[in-house]
């Protein structure tokens, strides 16, 4: 499974510029099976009272994702500010395939510290999707801090984390991505933005990490860049069989997880 991480800038609420920029970045790395973009990759976080705007924009963004997936014969993942069927604003991670089919995950852990809970509604469902023989757990940004929610139940091979993670907390980002790979004996794909907005600066530090905790692809800090990694499923299965950490995990259940 060839997986490309796309570390990019976001011009706040400049939809057309962002989509053109991302199209050019996708073309830098042809031949991947999966392209992973950042959190709210086409607009940045939308402001108070913008649910109506999100409803219109999310249709355009989703259509663009379908077009690019078809054009590249690859899946594309990234989060979009989306209004659901009940009129509620969600931070929704779409995983779109070349035939137009898709799965989605609504961010469960909203970042109240920055006001995300004022506008967005949290998701409730844990989502695993499969593509070309690899099972992916879908996660968004702040979810990274909650290991119980992402605990491997033997149902996935890789975790995707898409983010707008501030530079001042970059060591937390780097440390927790590696921890999730080690404790869940899986690949971790972490994609973050670069640049700045009204609140923060972002350094990226986008990576793909294997189950040994080794970085197998990375984007240079602070740079707009793409990088590709091979998710070697045979190697992963050999490691899990040789060192069966997941089989020795504690047997417990937590409500609503």
């Amino acid at each position: 499974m060839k997986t490309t991480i796309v570390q990019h800038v976001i011009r706040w609420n400049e939809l057309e510029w962002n989509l053109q920029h991302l199209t050019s970045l996708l073309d830098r790395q042809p031949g991947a099976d999966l392209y992973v973009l950042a959190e709210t990759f086409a607009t940045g976080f939308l402001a108070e009272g913008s649910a109506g705007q999100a409803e219109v924009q999310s249709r355009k963004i989703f259509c663009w994702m379908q077009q690019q997936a078809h054009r590249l014969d690859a899946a594309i993942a990234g989060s979009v500010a989306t209004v659901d069927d009940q009129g509620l604003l969600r931070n929704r991670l779409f995983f779109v395939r070349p035939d137009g089919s898709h799965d989605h995950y609504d961010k469960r852990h909203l970042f109240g510290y920055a006001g995300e809970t004022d506008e967005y509604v949290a998701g409730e469902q844990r989502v695993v999707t499969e593509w070309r023989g690899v099972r992916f757990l879908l996660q968004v940004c702040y979810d990274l801090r909650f290991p119980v929610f992402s605990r491997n139940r033997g149902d996935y091979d890789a975790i995707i984390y898409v983010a707008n993670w501030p530079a001042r907390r970059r060591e937390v980002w780097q440390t927790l991505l590696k921890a999730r790979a080690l404790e869940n004996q899986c690949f971790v794909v972490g994609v973050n933005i670069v640049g700045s907005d009204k609140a923060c600066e972002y350094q990226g530090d986008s990576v793909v990490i294997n189950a040994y905790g080794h970085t197998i692809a990375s984007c240079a800090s602070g740079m707009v860049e793409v990088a590709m990694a091979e998710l070697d499923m045979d190697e992963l299965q050999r490691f899990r069989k040789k060192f069966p950490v997941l089989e020795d995990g504690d047997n417990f259940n937590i409500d609503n997880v």
Side-chain angles (χ1 to χ4, degrees):
M1 164 73 71
K2 294 180 180 179
T3 299
T4 292
I5 51 177
V6 183
Q7 182 168 286
H8 57 91
V9 297
I10 300 174
R11 288 189 181 179
W12 187 81
N13 210 22
E14 292 191 28
L15 176 62
E16 297 303 327
W17 186 92
N18 290 324
L19 294 182
Q20 290 176 11
H21 171 62
L22 288 165
T23 300
S24 69
L25 292 179
L26 294 175
D27 287 339
R28 288 188 189 180
Q29 192 68 267
D33 298 291
L34 169 65
Y35 295 85
V36 182
L37 312 178
E39 181 181 22
T40 58
F41 64 86
T43 60
F45 277 95
L46 296 178
E48 182 178 354
S50 58
Q53 182 183 24
E55 187 171 13
V56 174
Q57 289 182 334
S58 63
R59 295 194 201 104
K60 294 181 180 178
I61 297 166
F62 182 72
C63 182
W64 176 86
M65 294 181 78
Q66 288 183 311
Q67 291 170 347
Q68 298 305 314
H70 177 74
R71 181 175 71 89
L72 296 165
D73 188 31
I76 295 181
S79 98
V80 181
T82 303
V83 177
D84 68 13
D85 293 339
Q86 286 74 47
L88 302 175
L89 188 60
R90 305 279 190 174
N91 188 341
R92 179 165 289 179
L93 173 52
F94 286 107
F95 190 101
V96 181
R97 302 177 185 85
D99 64 359
S101 65
H102 75 282
D103 292 307
H104 73 262
Y105 160 73
D106 292 334
K107 185 178 181 181
R108 177 181 174 95
H109 300 96
L110 301 178
F111 194 43
Y113 181 79
E116 190 176 12
T117 50
D118 295 339
E119 293 297 316
Y120 292 81
V121 176
E124 298 178 355
Q125 300 298 319
R126 185 174 182 272
V127 176
V128 175
T129 188
E130 189 274 339
W131 173 238
R132 292 181 177 169
V134 181
R135 300 168 299 169
F136 294 93
L137 176 69
L138 305 182
Q139 301 273 272
V140 179
C141 202
Y142 193 42
D143 288 328
L144 179 60
R145 286 184 176 266
F146 301 91
V148 173
F149 185 58
S150 63
R151 183 63 176 166
N152 198 336
R153 306 170 186 177
D155 58 346
Y156 67 78
D157 309 301
I159 310 175
I160 293 174
Y161 287 103
V162 301
N164 288 184
W165 196 282
R168 62 177 174 266
R169 289 189 286 274
R170 61 186 301 213
E171 289 190 16
V172 178
W173 166 257
Q174 294 166 331
T175 300
L176 293 183
L177 288 174
K178 182 173 288 189
R180 297 295 89 84
L182 289 168
E183 70 194 8
N184 294 301
Q185 211 167 33
C186 69
F187 295 101
V188 165
V189 180
V191 176
N192 190 26
I193 61 171
V194 294
S196 62
D197 58 22
K198 292 177 289 186
C200 297
E201 293 185 358
Y202 307 91
Q203 285 294 312
D205 300 309
S206 302
V207 291
V208 182
I209 301 170
N210 68 15
Y212 295 92
H214 300 154
T215 298
I216 57 174
S218 63
C219 295
S221 182
M223 301 294 291
V224 172
E225 197 168 73
V226 297
M228 182 186 289
E230 179 79 36
L231 307 189
D232 188 333
M233 291 300 298
D234 290 336
E235 180 185 23
L236 177 63
Q237 297 306 328
R238 285 194 298 269
F239 179 43
R240 286 177 170 179
K241 184 176 181 180
K242 179 180 178 181
F243 189 53
V245 173
L246 298 179
E247 295 179 11
D248 296 328
D250 299 305
N251 184 20
F252 63 90
N253 293 300
I254 296 179
D255 291 340
N256 301 320
V257 175

